[in-house]
Amino acid sequence: MTGSTTSSTTGSTTGPARARRGRRPGAPDTRAAILGAARELFASSGYGGTSIRAVAAAAGVDAALVHHYFGTKDDLFLAALQLPIDPRSAMLPVLEGGLPGAGERLLRVFLGVWDDEQNQQPLLALVRGLAEPSGQRLVRDGVLQMVLGPVGRGLGIDDPERRMALVASQMVGVVILRYLLRAEPLASMAPDELVAAYAPTLQRYLSEPLA
Amino acid sequence: MTGSTTSSTTGSTTGPARARRGRRPGAPDTRAAILGAARELFASSGYGGTSIRAVAAAAGVDAALVHHYFGTKDDLFLAALQLPIDPRSAMLPVLEGGLPGAGERLLRVFLGVWDDEQNQQPLLALVRGLAEPSGQRLVRDGVLQMVLGPVGRGLGIDDPERRMALVASQMVGVVILRYLLRAEPLASMAPDELVAAYAPTLQRYLSEPLA
């Protein structure tokens, strides 16, 4: 994951409709073909089962061109997810300060992103994709591997896969109830109320004995 | 909710494919028409916005016939949800024993139902319905109103809507991660491991101060 802090210069996670901010605008058709191939392969083979080389072959271009347009495999995967934000930079404040208070910081970042109307619709599109196996794989790899995985490793917790899966299970539930179903009273609760309810849960999953 | 403990004699929650176990077999076409109308109205107008009378009108039958075939409005709603079990009887062990330990008992009932292969597919069909607004309404009313609402009231907790929504948000997240996405390590964790991780969360949502 060498490119994990360099994404701010690629603009690759802002969706295909927006022009790349690099030096060269690139050919939109080639770029779209790469992105389409990437989305298809990540959805069918998962993050781990997809290589830049395979995406390049499926798009009929050279692997170097994929790197040129999209950067690392992580960058390409995030571009394929069409997230409205780059979770790698969004999560940096969670890591700063270490494990104490990380549950609350994670929750506040999460609520800040989701409560922003501009982010909510593209994120909900990803959630609706859960009805299909391809969308399930994108969400599983995207949320666990790309968004929460680096947080667990960055915090240096023991058994990060298990702990971050527990964290994910609570946050995904909030997404479904508050943002997708708009179930009351969750949909109308203020961020501070949600933090009071959920931060101790997340902190326990991150740092306390679970057996 | 007068019919809340009588459903075992109606067979109304076992899906339309299975014959009704009551004294009279009934006319399958009429029964199917009522169920179709009910499903459509509950999905578009919600549980609260749907009356037996409206379902009867939409199906072109008398309201008495709806009662005859399906019992109460709760029975009809559960039949429309096509759940593989009746959550009202399934939840009885959660209420027995009162608030202490209710989080763990709720979790064990929930895992027992979901870990049963026979239940999993029909339940996942409901989850996949979350992609559509009609399915969202069915799940929201079904889970919060029919499954968890009576538990909150039965346990006599303060602010039951808020507490049960918090409980729902954790359980829905487990459904998505463990059963729909089959994300590891959650998908392979034994019930006792899940209880160790989640029961304290649910118990806190049920009985501890949240502000």
Side-chain angles (χ1 to χ4, degrees):
Chain A
M1 302 239 310
T2 51
S4 61
T5 57
T6 61
S7 66
S8 60
T9 58
T10 68
S12 61
T13 62
T14 52
R18 202 142 136 196
R20 184 166 177 275
R21 277 175 281 158
R23 274 158 298 185
R24 305 190 220 175
D29 288 353
T30 307
R31 206 180 172 281
I34 295 170
L35 203 58
R39 199 171 164 82
E40 213 162 284
L41 280 172
F42 283 128
S44 62
S45 307
Y47 175 84
T50 301
S51 65
I52 290 273
R53 189 173 307 202
V55 171
V61 303
D62 194 83
L65 200 65
V66 177
H67 283 297
H68 169 72
Y69 280 141
F70 290 99
T72 67
K73 178 173 154 183
D74 282 8
D75 293 323
L76 179 62
F77 184 56
L78 287 170
L81 283 179
Q82 303 181 4
L83 298 179
I85 54 126
D86 187 326
R88 297 170 300 189
S89 48
M91 288 296 172
L92 288 179
V94 180
L95 300 181
E96 289 161 13
L99 198 46
E104 173 167 345
R105 293 197 305 279
L106 181 57
L107 197 58
R108 289 199 184 275
V109 165
F110 164 83
L111 293 171
V113 169
W114 273 91
D115 283 346
D116 182 331
E117 289 291 333
Q118 276 201 298
N119 297 333
Q120 231 181 79
Q121 285 316 311
L123 288 172
L124 282 176
L126 210 61
V127 173
R128 278 188 287 267
L130 285 173
E132 302 294 333
S134 58
Q136 290 163 19
R137 196 187 284 265
L138 285 177
V139 169
R140 189 178 55 217
D141 287 1
V143 172
L144 291 177
Q145 188 126 1
M146 296 293 299
V147 180
L148 292 178
V151 174
R153 290 191 296 273
L155 290 172
I157 55 180
D158 67 291
D159 208 349
E161 285 77 20
R162 175 183 301 225
R163 290 183 180 280
M164 296 316 292
L166 295 172
V167 166
S169 74
Q170 179 59 88
M171 296 174 87
V172 165
V174 174
V175 165
I176 301 287
L177 272 283
R178 177 173 166 91
Y179 300 106
L180 184 69
L181 302 185
R182 299 187 184 279
E184 294 297 354
L186 274 184
S188 302
M189 279 167 71
D192 282 345
E193 292 179 290
L194 293 165
V195 166
Y198 287 118
T201 299
L202 297 189
Q203 190 64 38
R204 180 172 157 270
Y205 292 161
L206 288 173
S207 61
E208 288 173 36
L210 296 172
Chain B
M1 303 240 304
T2 50
S4 61
T5 57
T6 62
S7 66
S8 60
T9 58
T10 67
S12 60
T13 62
T14 52
R18 200 140 136 198
R20 185 166 176 273
R21 278 176 283 159
R23 271 158 301 184
R24 301 191 224 177
D29 288 355
T30 307
R31 208 179 170 280
I34 294 170
L35 204 57
R39 200 170 162 84
E40 211 161 285
L41 279 171
F42 283 128
S44 62
S45 309
Y47 176 84
T50 300
S51 65
I52 290 273
R53 189 172 308 202
V55 171
V61 302
D62 194 82
L65 200 65
V66 177
H67 283 297
H68 169 73
Y69 279 140
F70 290 99
T72 67
K73 179 174 155 183
D74 281 8
D75 292 323
L76 179 62
F77 183 56
L78 287 172
L81 284 179
Q82 303 181 5
L83 297 179
I85 53 124
D86 188 325
R88 298 169 300 188
S89 47
M91 288 296 174
L92 287 179
V94 180
L95 301 180
E96 288 160 14
L99 197 46
E104 173 168 345
R105 293 197 305 279
L106 180 57
L107 196 57
R108 290 200 184 272
V109 165
F110 164 83
L111 293 171
V113 169
W114 273 91
D115 283 345
D116 183 332
E117 288 292 334
Q118 276 202 297
N119 297 332
Q120 230 179 80
Q121 286 314 311
L123 289 171
L124 283 175
L126 210 62
V127 173
R128 280 188 286 268
L130 284 173
E132 302 295 330
S134 58
Q136 290 163 18
R137 198 187 282 265
L138 284 178
V139 169
R140 189 177 56 218
D141 288 1
V143 173
L144 291 177
Q145 189 127 0
M146 295 293 298
V147 180
L148 291 177
V151 174
R153 290 191 296 275
L155 290 173
I157 55 181
D158 67 291
D159 207 349
E161 284 77 20
R162 175 182 303 224
R163 290 184 181 279
M164 295 316 291
L166 295 173
V167 166
S169 74
Q170 179 58 88
M171 296 174 86
V172 165
V174 175
V175 166
I176 301 287
L177 272 281
R178 176 172 166 90
Y179 300 105
L180 185 70
L181 302 185
R182 300 187 184 277
E184 293 298 352
L186 273 184
S188 302
M189 280 167 71
D192 282 345
E193 292 179 290
L194 294 165
V195 166
Y198 288 119
T201 300
L202 298 189
Q203 191 63 38
R204 179 172 159 269
Y205 292 161
L206 287 173
S207 60
E208 288 173 37
L210 295 172

